[in-house]
Amino acid sequence: KGRRALGCFKQAVLVLRWFLDGTRLAQLACDNGVSVSTAYRCLHEGLTVLAAGAPDLATALERAKAAGLTHLNLDGTVIRTDRVAAPGPNGADLWWSGKHKHHGGNVQVIATPDGWPIWVSPVRPGREHDTTCARHHGLIDALNRIAAELDMLTLVDLGYENAGDGFRHPHKKPAGGELTEAQQTYNKVIRGIHGVCERANSLLKTTFKALRRVSLDPSRITKIAAAALVLLQLEYNRTI
């Protein structure tokens, strides 16, 4: 007692205010009568504790197996960041997403058929393609393996084209040609079912304003996304 500026309860409230409302650290420091550096330390301690409770990929897939899910959904989301640009290996901006036209970090999200997030990946630079990120995290091999073992396919968009037999994505329109009627029908079915997985990313970003724009070091997005998943699962008392 008396050895820390904030007790457990006040520190938890500080972390939740940052997550839910996106409250600036300077304001949180003022409200709690502590320095900004102390507020940052309290926040990072909270992130570390929460992120430690997030399931790893093996655990998430085991839960999916045990639940007997018909299929999984995989989608990437770019979490915006306003940090200074960093040059990549070939001189290109490492965190700039050409698709979204802003800086950010790519996070892969696995969701259940009804769009409930069950796993989030560590962050990768926003310039990387979804398939590149998925391969880096071992998702391609893991999801192809679970498809072969349990016939549990993973629905994706065209960003994961040619990822393997365990994935199903829409047909790509050929250059100078048209899709057949059967291919168009297939695309409508796949997009209709897979479209539900957008709920997973929406749940995370609409529930937690902190995920809409991160002002911390982009590498911190790993713990922020994992902590957000844990908070969401605690709030709804649901892991799968």
Side-chain angles (χ1 to χ4, degrees), residues 11-57:
Q11 184 172 356
V13 171
L14 181 149
V15 173
L16 288 174
R17 286 182 63 193
W18 183 83
F19 260 110
L20 292 170
D21 301 327
T23 309
R24 295 171 61 248
L25 265 298
Q27 182 63 53
L28 292 172
C30 179
D31 293 346
N32 287 279
V34 297
S35 66
V36 175
S37 61
T38 298
Y40 271 101
R41 187 180 73 248
C42 290
L43 173 63
H44 290 308
E45 287 176 351
L47 290 175
T48 299
V49 170
L50 288 169
D56 58 19
L57 180 58

Side-chain angles (χ1 to χ4, degrees), residues 175-192:
E178 296 292 336
L179 296 175
T180 65
E181 185 176 348
Q183 289 174 327
Q184 292 177 19
T185 302
Y186 176 87
N187 284 1
K188 288 179 181 178
V189 173
I190 287 292
R191 286 175 174 143

Side-chain angles (χ1 to χ4, degrees), residues 52 54 79 124 155 189 193:
I79 296 177
R124 295 293 298 169
L155 303 188
V189 173
I193 299 173

